[in-house]
């Protein structure tokens, strides 16, 4: 129900280009990504793959080499199917990884649009496996992308802008990352905390382990206690603008100065993606 193979390849190509352009320092591999995308499914039309489906991608690599394609293109055609199952190898190069992400996100988006959403043990189009593969690629190859922007683009390539479907897909992918984190020893409540407003899965993955490692420390417990107290005191407070002219007590001025200093330190570490030091900086407010 997702159109013919050429239409699918065009969507994969458009999404792969979007992902590549979203990655900082994407170098000179955009043309390679485009070429891999265009050729990624051509071997599916051969009798060889029809008879031996497990050769999909592998035959594409061999055919492309015989036709004189660049080795990175050939490798990417094969690699974009990886990982095929949990624990399988990841794509060797970044180009194959990006096309693999585009392929999986296109399948998931199209299926959700058609209402083919996994339920219970029912998952005839292996969408959970596709999402797990995407999570494995993102975390394993350290690809920093905005999940919201990429899925929005994928839906756009189908001519869709349904916010409900967008949120369903994002939650579906986040749930796969949650399963991965739990399997690696992270408690479910910490998973929920880092994933609640997460958009970059790499950051969420890193934060989960940092918080888990810090959770037993006294300074971390003090941060949680302070945050809880502030939340309860200010739960009905709507304005975020602070006007210093209304400060009366020196304690108010000292607290605000401490807040500004801590905020600068915190944001500096966050911009450097040093989440451990950013978290520790918050203890200055306890």
């Amino acid at each position: 129900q997702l159109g013919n193979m050429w239409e699918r390849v065009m969507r994969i190509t458009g999404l792969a280009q979007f992902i590549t352009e979203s990655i900082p320092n994407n170098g000179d591999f955009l043309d390679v990504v485009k070429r891999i995308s265009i050729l990624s499914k051509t071997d599916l039309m051969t009798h060889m793959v029809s008879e031996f489906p497990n050769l999909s991608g592998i035959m594409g690599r061999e055919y492309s080499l015989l036709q004189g394609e660049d080795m990175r293109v050939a490798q990417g055609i094969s690699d974009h199917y990886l990982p095929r199952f949990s624990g399988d190898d990841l794509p060797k190069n970044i180009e194959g990884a990006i096309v693999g992400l585009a392929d999986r996100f296109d399948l998931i988006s199209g299926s959700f649009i058609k209402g083919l959403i996994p339920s219970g043990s029912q998952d005839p189009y292996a969408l959970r496996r596709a999402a797990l593969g995407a999570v494995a690629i993102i975390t394993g190859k350290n690809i920093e992308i905005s999940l919201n922007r990429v899925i929005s683009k994928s839906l756009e390539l189908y001519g869709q802008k349904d916010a409900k479907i967008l949120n369903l897909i994002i939650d579906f992918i986040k749930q796969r990352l949650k399963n991965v984190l739990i399997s690696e020893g992270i408690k479910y409540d910490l998973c929920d905390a880092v994933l609640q407003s997460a958009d970059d899965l790499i950051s969420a993955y890193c934060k989960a382990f940092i918080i888990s490692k810090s959770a037993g420390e006294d300074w971390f417990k003090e941060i949680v206690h302070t945050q809880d107290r502030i939340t309860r005191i200010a739960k009905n407070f709507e304005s975020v603008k602070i006007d210093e002219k209304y400060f009366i007590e020196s304690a108010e001025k000292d607290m605000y100065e401490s807040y500004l200093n801590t905020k600068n330190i915190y944001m500096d570490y966050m911009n450097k993606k040093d989440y451990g030091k950013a978290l520790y900086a918050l203890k200055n407010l306890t």
Side-chain angles (χ1 to χ4, degrees), residues 113-126:
I113 288 171
K114 295 298 181 180
L116 305 173
I117 302 173
S119 175
S121 61
Q122 301 299 311
D123 187 12
Y125 297 99

Side-chain angles (χ1 to χ4, degrees), residues 9-50:
V9 164
M10 286 294 94
R11 292 194 304 268
I12 291 172
T13 302
L15 188 56
Q17 179 176 340
F18 180 82
I19 293 172
T20 303
E21 292 173 344
S22 301
I23 296 174
N25 305 315
N26 56 33
D28 60 348
F29 55 79
L30 178 57
D31 289 341
V32 177
V33 167
K34 289 180 180 178
R35 191 63 177 163
I36 293 170
S37 302
I38 290 291
L39 299 176
S40 61
K41 306 299 181 184
T42 52
D43 63 346
L44 297 183
M45 315 310 293
T46 68
H47 292 296
M48 178 66 79
V49 174
S50 297

Side-chain angles (χ1 to χ4, degrees), residues 14-268:
L15 188 56
Q17 179 176 340
F18 180 82
I19 293 172
T20 303
E21 292 173 344
S22 301
I23 296 174
N25 305 315
N26 56 33
D28 60 348
F29 55 79
L30 178 57
D31 289 341
V32 177
V33 167
K34 289 180 180 178
R35 191 63 177 163
I36 293 170
S37 302
I38 290 291
L39 299 176
S40 61
K41 306 299 181 184
T42 52
D43 63 346
L44 297 183
M45 315 310 293
T46 68
H47 292 296
M48 178 66 79
V49 174
S50 297
E51 188 171 354
F52 304 101
N54 60 324
L55 292 180
S56 57
I58 296 172
M59 291 311 303
R61 178 187 65 203
E62 300 306 314
Y63 289 140
S64 64
L65 287 174
L66 288 171
Q67 292 187 170
E69 294 289 342
D70 184 278
M71 183 62 200
R72 288 191 298 171
V73 173
Q75 189 64 52
I77 293 172
S78 176
D79 280 3
H80 90 281
Y81 283 104
L82 300 176
R84 295 176 185 264
F85 50 85
S86 179
D88 193 16
D89 292 336
L90 295 176
K92 292 181 176 64
N93 57 34
I94 186 66
E95 299 94 343
I98 290 171
V99 177
L101 285 178
D103 185 10
R104 289 164 173 83
F105 286 146
D106 176 74
L107 173 63
I108 294 168
S109 297
S111 298
F112 271 64
I113 288 171
K114 295 298 181 180
L116 305 173
I117 302 173
S119 175
S121 61
Q122 301 299 311
D123 187 12
Y125 297 99
L127 300 186
R128 292 191 183 98
R129 185 174 65 187
L132 274 172
V135 168
I137 291 172
I138 289 172
T139 57
K141 304 299 286 188
N142 197 31
I143 299 176
E144 297 181 27
I145 54 174
S146 163
L147 198 58
N148 189 294
R149 293 184 66 231
V150 170
I151 300 303
S152 294
K153 180 63 176 181
S154 183
L155 293 174
E156 180 186 314
L157 291 168
Y158 276 100
Q160 290 281 338
K161 290 186 178 181
D162 191 321
K164 182 178 179 181
I165 294 177
L166 171 65
N167 291 328
L168 282 174
I169 295 173
I170 290 175
D171 289 343
F172 178 72
I173 295 170
K174 284 183 179 181
Q175 183 61 46
R176 307 287 80 74
L177 177 57
K178 180 179 179 179
N179 293 343
V180 170
L181 289 170
I182 290 175
S183 71
E184 295 183 11
I186 306 298
K187 294 181 179 179
Y188 75 92
D189 55 339
L190 293 185
C191 295
D192 291 337
V194 297
L195 289 173
Q196 183 177 13
S197 59
D199 188 40
D200 172 9
L201 297 188
I202 285 289
S203 295
Y205 185 83
C206 294
K207 290 173 184 176
F209 284 95
I210 289 167
I211 294 175
S212 180
K213 181 180 178 181
S214 305
E217 301 292 336
D218 289 339
W219 58 265
F220 180 82
K221 295 175 182 178
E222 290 174 3
I223 289 174
V224 174
H225 177 72
T226 302
Q227 173 61 31
D228 180 60
R229 186 163 183 263
I230 292 171
T231 301
R232 283 187 284 108
I233 292 173
K235 64 180 180 181
N236 296 320
F237 189 67
E238 296 180 357
S239 173
V240 294
K241 184 178 179 181
I242 297 174
D243 194 335
E244 296 179 61
K245 72 181 181 183
Y246 292 109
F247 290 165
I248 300 173
E249 304 293 339
S250 60
E252 293 177 301
K253 299 176 183 178
D254 292 342
M255 179 181 288
Y256 188 57
E257 183 178 346
S258 177
Y259 158 74
L260 292 177
N261 290 335
T262 301
K263 180 181 178 182
N264 290 333
I265 295 170
Y266 173 82
M267 292 307 301
D268 183 54

